[in-house]
Amino acid sequence: MDTHGSRPLEALVHWNGDLSELTRSTRNTRSARHCSATPLVTFRPDHAAAAVKKVLAGLADPSQLVDWAQAVHFEDHVDIEEEHQNLLTQFLVEISTPELFVPVTREVCRRWLHVLQASTASGPGSAQDAHRPPAPQDRAAARTPLPPR
């Protein structure tokens, strides 16, 4: 039995199922997790990439990605993988608040997928080159999500 409620969190970060059911399920198990101060699930680049791929495959729309990112970002018992903490935090913040950054579109998803895949394809230390932001003159036109330095 899942006495600490990690199964609903795993389903949420993997986006396995209907988003409203996933968020309802995590809310329902929150009281069981309240006793535990440690995160139960680690959010990794492959979780973010899989979510973006759902949109690109037409299995979800961009507004659902926004809702999913909000749910993951504001869940206290989801930890962000330390090796990719800056990148994943930026991903969650930008995707969950498009009103502050750029609207989430298929093109934004394609760019994020490229950045996320580059972060995992590169070995530790070389990931910085894969995340080099565009030149300042290209930023406004490209509206590319900018990974952390």
Side-chain angles (χ1 to χ4, degrees):
M1 180 170 188
D2 185 25
T3 58
H4 297 293
S6 64
R7 236 179 251 135
L9 290 174
E10 283 287 342
L12 177 65
V13 297
H14 285 280
W15 196 350
N16 289 336
D18 177 67
L19 190 55
S20 62
E21 288 294 321
L22 293 171
T23 55
R24 184 175 14 264
S25 181
T26 57
R27 274 194 307 269
N28 290 342
T29 59
R30 197 165 279 144
S31 61
R33 294 188 313 260
H34 185 65
C35 301
S36 172
T38 59
L40 300 172
V41 175
T42 301
F43 183 64
R44 301 181 315 264
D46 60 304
H47 296 130
V52 167
K53 286 177 184 178
K54 271 189 157 189
V55 173
L56 294 174
L59 301 174
D61 62 45
S63 68
Q64 290 173 300
L65 180 63
V66 170
D67 293 342
W68 171 81
Q70 288 173 352
V72 171
H73 185 62
F74 293 113
E75 178 53 60
D76 291 336
H77 287 82
V78 172
D79 193 24
I80 296 177
E81 183 179 69
E82 190 173 329
E83 181 182 348
H84 297 99
Q85 189 165 21
N86 290 340
L87 175 66
L88 292 173
T89 300
Q90 181 178 356
F91 170 80
L92 288 173
V93 168
E94 288 188 18
I95 295 297
S96 70
T97 54
E99 64 277 7
L100 299 178
F101 295 94
V102 296
V104 178
T105 63
R106 292 176 59 80
E107 183 57 34
V108 167
C109 289
R110 274 191 283 279
R111 290 181 188 139
W112 267 114
L113 182 59
H114 173 75
V115 170
L116 291 162
Q117 288 175 332
S119 76
T120 57
S122 304
S126 63
Q128 294 300 335
D129 292 335
H131 299 36
R132 187 169 292 122
Q137 66 272 19
D138 297 336
R139 286 186 186 148
R143 306 203 50 109
T144 302
L146 300 175
R149 291 183 162 256

